[in-house]
Amino acid sequence: MAKIQFLQLPVPPPSYFAATGNVPLAAASLASCLESKEDPVTGITPQVVSPEDTDSLGDLALIDRIVKEGPDFLGLSLYLWNTERSLYIAKEVKKRSPETKILIGGPEVNEDNPYVLGEKGYDIAVSGEAEHSFRNLMRTLLSRSPLDGLENVAYRKKNGTLTSFGKPTPANFPLTDFPSPYTTGHLKVDPRRSTYLETVRGCKSQCTYCFYPKSSQNLRTLDIPETMKLISDLKEKGARELVFLDPTFNHRPGFENFLNAITEINADGQMSMFAELRSEGVTPKLATKLRKAGFTRVELGLQSVNEETLKRVKRYGSPHKVAEVAKMLAGEGMELLLDLIIGLPGDKPEDVERGIHFFLEHGLGEWVQAFPLSVLPGTAMRRDAEKEGLSFMPTPPYRIIETPTFSSRDLTESLYFAEDLLERRLDEFPRPFLCNATVNKNDRIDIMLGDTENLSFKVGSLPWESRLSDWSGSRHHSVWFHTKEFSNDLSRILGFIEERITAEPFCTIDFVIPLESVPKSKEIQKLVTLLESKRESYLSRTLAHRGENLQHRLVFVFDGNHGELKNWRNKELDSTAFLIFERVSTSKIQSLDPSEEVFYLLEGEKVDPKDFAFLKENMDPEAITFSSRILEERWSMEVLGYGEL
């Protein structure tokens, strides 16, 4: 019996305790489609790597696990946020297990994405909505038949080149053809996580920046009885929040009846729900029905206040209608996500400004999320990018660099301007992991830098006797360099940083240096330059316009009693290339000055309730971190809102 393993890697979170939102629905759906009751694909056993493992395991641990388990086939679902890491893992698995056939699919796998198609390490690429193509492919592979002419499939020839994709065939199979992965057991309901589900595939809208129109323009729905059967089953399994991935939730035929049926199942209010709506067609009656059904969060895409731009990108719609519906839904007690895209063709910086003012004037500023345009593979916008004069990154996140009406500087300044108006940051902050080491955890390694003979490593309380490159860290880990003479040890620190990044290039790593004296600017610059040269991933490029790095962070910590270091810190407050944390005992919390825009590492295992309240009420939450794991997790959940639900 052949084995196929599916790996769907999560969105990399900004912080150690942040939820990844990892629900491998695509991978589990492919595993389930092999087991349809009427026509199962025989001769193969599917298995999905669990979210608990993909959330926690670093690069080396994932590769080791896959190679040790030795699947005949490895399938990877590629998305904007995980493509580079997935392809790296595929390449490394292939080196160590060349007999494993590696398959890739997902929105990133398109004939217009030269980045993915130019990468090595995989054997077969599948484009488009995959269940129907995937079953045909697996039957062909299991029978050892030629792959020539398979719909939506490209494969690597013996000379290493990739063929063209077979005839592109849109999906048209009913959603009832294949069992839900929640019923086959390939996807577990975890009450601590959101539960993702699809009840509609395809989208009637033609927004040029979106992938869905290519996927399918015909709506295929899971009918109401089947959907209610699934939702009832999810509820019995303990689901607490349902996230509907339907492209436009209220475009489903018979939408009111659909909401009525959900209301009946969720009459006890046990589950909360989230979906994305188009404002057109949402009435006060529908808003009330959504609330009664259990919807507590809703996303509405305005995208731009320039109606000519909305026509140009085929979004259409009215900004005033969006505002009307947003207030209607907020009045029903729902939280909102209101989208503005920076850099759409036809828009100018003043349109972004008008968009923010528009929401503020309607009292909706707290819900706004504004972000730069990404020119995604498989979209009409990418097809027409040259004609539109759009310059964008060739690799994830494919962010817009310049348009005829937005310079590179305009794009960044528009984001900062929006933040000034809204009085908050609009993207993730790279929060470092500065907790104490503990036994049975591979999330921190301490390097004691003395002379060559006294160099030592410590993981938890145990010595690490091997090379640093052999240490397998967790998905997010920290490396601490303890030195009495920073200048003397700088070259070794640089070497160790290079070694660690080379060993696990897609782990989130905090490089932490406790200081005993003021470092020289040119020495810091060497560290910064090294990390800048390693911006080779989606995560490292996401905040590059800010000068920040979500993948590899440089952190200095110092004792708050050291006056010279405190003065140095105060001169470096505007730095974005590194962070400086002042160590303070938890017993001295009340002495902190909220007016100082500085970062604090609070050391101690306990905090008085009054002190914790003081921190919550007075301090910037991102400026506070704890050496205690218990306190850091509590702060992340209670104050930063990092819980899954």
Side-chain angles (χ1 to χ4, degrees), residues 234-241 265-272:
L234 296 176
K235 183 179 180 181
E236 287 177 12
K237 287 180 164 70
R240 292 175 55 200
E241 181 185 65
I265 289 173
N266 196 35
D268 57 3
Q270 180 177 313
M271 296 181 292
S272 61

Side-chain angles (χ1 to χ4, degrees), residues 578-598:
F578 55 89
L579 295 169
I580 307 170
F581 278 79
E582 178 181 341
R583 282 174 150 156
V584 177
S585 168
T586 52
S587 64
K588 296 182 178 179
I589 285 174
Q590 294 286 343
S591 68
L592 301 181
D593 184 352
S595 67
E596 291 187 339
E597 296 181 357
V598 297

Side-chain angles (χ1 to χ4, degrees), residues 595-642:
S595 67
E596 291 187 339
E597 296 181 357
V598 297
F599 293 92
Y600 294 104
L601 170 58
L602 299 180
E603 297 189 315
E605 290 301 314
K606 294 183 179 180
V607 172
D608 184 277
K610 290 182 180 178
D611 291 340
F612 199 83
F614 171 84
L615 293 173
K616 286 177 66 174
E617 293 166 10
N618 297 288
M619 305 299 291
D620 175 356
E622 290 292 5
I624 299 297
T625 190
F626 296 87
S627 62
S628 161
R629 290 169 184 259
I630 293 172
L631 293 174
E632 176 66 11
E633 184 171 11
R634 181 185 170 193
W635 186 262
S636 296
M637 301 300 170
E638 285 186 28
V639 182
L640 296 172
Y642 279 169

